[in-house]
Amino acid sequence: MKISLGDLKYVRRITEGYLRTIPAAPCKPDPRHWPDDALTLSWLGHATVLINFFGVWILTDPALLARVGVRVGPLTFGPKRLVAPALKARELPPLDVVLLTHAHMDHFDIGTLRRLRRDVTVVTASATADLLTPMRFRDVVEMGWGESRRFDTAHGGLSIEAFRVQHWGARMRRDVHRGFNGYVLERRGRRICIAGDTARTSFTAVGRKPTDVMVVPIGAYNPWIASHCTPEQAVEMANQARARFVVPVHHQTFRLSWEPMDEPIQRFTRALPAARIALSKVGETFVLPTSPPRDLPSGHPVETALVGR
């Protein structure tokens, strides 16, 4: 593997501050009190979202340790958190599904996965299950683009569809065979879109039916615009998906790029009406309102659908 001077400067930047104190998350959710007759979620930091989908507990892209990256003995070489996770692994409720979008270390953190209970179904992208073999999870399911599956849990069924996004899946640069997914989750007539990591791409296919909540990345676009969207592009994709509410992730947690850490959320909040922003701070909790949204044509901005909600 060839390493350039630019690589060395980047590695130096993201590995700085090994002894730096990590401040607590601004908010702390309490999932013990989340009802099973609603769609409730909390952003735990970076791309990790805890969801109670009408009694089915889901965790996306778990990364809950101080650093993500390559582990060498007792040390991890990679970015250090700028804010602590809103919950630690031991504070999570019993999970039904762990949803992994791709094998990048900030989304597929082995250290965190080892701390999760094994009696859970792990849904992951194609050609990534081998990374999970040592952990002996009860059930590991790979999904490719366009594939749909129904999962039966103790609280009922959950349908998941995988779709293509504009990203890449290699964990160590050379393993380019690994997949990368976005997902649509459906249960009780409600839909959640987990965009994963993606550059600007079309979400009109997702928007063939209205989306209740869309989790979309908004950071790490400078200089990685080929694989990460800008906040304004995230809003455009949410409109294409006909998303009623939007959860911005992939910002404020790890320094992965050159834009100022507070720039993505500032640009995002300027680009989208506040009524559609589900949350913006690590640890905040969002409950989907029970009133149904008005239907709109695919790709149409949905601001007017929320007037008077």
Side-chain angles (χ1 to χ4, degrees):
M1 181 185 300
K2 294 182 179 180
I3 300 178
S4 67
L5 178 61
D7 289 333
L8 292 175
K9 290 180 178 178
Y10 177 66
V11 169
R12 179 181 178 183
R13 185 167 188 253
I14 66 174
T15 56
E16 65 187 0
Y18 219 97
L19 300 180
R20 169 175 50 81
T21 300
I22 301 175
C27 308
K28 189 177 180 66
D30 189 353
R32 296 173 301 175
H33 300 296
W34 292 5
D36 288 342
D37 60 352
L39 193 171
T40 309
L41 60 81
S42 179
W43 178 38
L44 305 188
H46 199 49
T48 307
V49 179
L50 178 65
I51 306 168
N52 183 345
F53 200 1
F54 297 102
V56 176
W57 288 90
I58 304 159
L59 187 68
T60 71
D61 288 351
L64 300 175
L65 301 186
R67 284 185 180 269
V68 292
V70 178
R71 189 162 184 87
V72 180
L75 303 178
T76 298
F77 292 91
K80 186 175 183 177
R81 305 185 79 96
L82 297 176
V83 60
L87 293 175
K88 298 178 181 178
R90 65 174 179 270
E91 297 175 306
L92 295 171
L95 301 171
D96 296 292
V97 176
V98 172
L99 199 64
L100 302 173
T101 60
H102 62 298
H104 288 175
M105 295 178 187
D106 57 322
H107 294 256
F108 197 120
D109 180 48
I110 297 298
T112 300
L113 289 166
R114 284 175 175 161
R115 287 165 170 77
L116 301 182
R117 294 172 50 154
R118 299 301 187 263
D119 59 343
V120 64
T121 296
V122 181
V123 177
T124 189
S126 60
T128 59
D130 60 294
L131 299 170
L132 298 164
T133 300
M135 283 163 272
R136 301 180 182 276
F137 285 105
R138 177 188 65 188
D139 189 24
V140 176
V141 179
E142 289 186 348
M143 294 187 66
W145 300 332
E147 184 178 356
S148 298
R149 291 280 300 267
R150 176 182 168 85
F151 297 87
D152 292 318
T153 76
H155 294 91
L158 172 69
S159 296
I160 301 178
E161 179 182 355
F163 62 89
R164 182 173 184 169
V165 294
Q166 186 66 34
H167 201 58
W168 57 296
R171 188 171 180 85
M172 300 298 292
R173 287 199 180 186
R174 292 183 179 272
D175 53 343
V176 294
H177 64 287
R178 300 193 187 279
F180 46 96
N181 291 338
Y183 298 101
V184 173
L185 287 59
E186 294 194 49
R187 175 165 162 76
R188 294 191 182 180
R190 298 294 191 175
R191 301 176 84 232
I192 305 172
C193 175
I194 309 294
D197 246 357
T198 184
R200 182 181 185 180
T201 190
S202 174
F203 275 70
T204 54
V206 173
R208 67 187 185 275
K209 293 192 291 184
T211 301
D212 292 288
V213 182
M214 182 169 176
V215 179
V216 65
I218 65 169
Y221 46 81
N222 180 16
W224 319 119
I225 192 64
S227 53
H228 295 110
C229 62
T230 66
E232 294 80 12
Q233 291 169 344
V235 170
E236 178 186 358
M237 294 186 295
N239 286 339
Q240 291 173 343
R242 292 198 285 166
R244 185 183 180 195
F245 297 100
V246 187
V247 178
V249 299
H250 209 273
H251 65 106
Q252 297 189 48
T253 308
F254 296 109
R255 188 180 299 280
L256 301 176
S257 52
W258 301 109
E259 74 267 6
M261 290 301 295
D262 58 353
E263 180 182 287
I265 191 61
Q266 290 178 356
R267 288 174 57 173
F268 179 79
T269 54
R270 289 196 299 265
L272 189 69
R276 292 180 61 199
I277 300 174
L279 48 81
S280 60
K281 296 178 182 178
V282 175
E284 282 188 320
T285 298
F286 170 78
V287 181
L288 180 71
T290 55
S291 59
R294 301 178 192 172
D295 195 13
L296 289 172
S298 178
H300 191 288
V302 301
E303 287 91 319
T304 56
L306 297 174
V307 174
R309 84 172 164 84

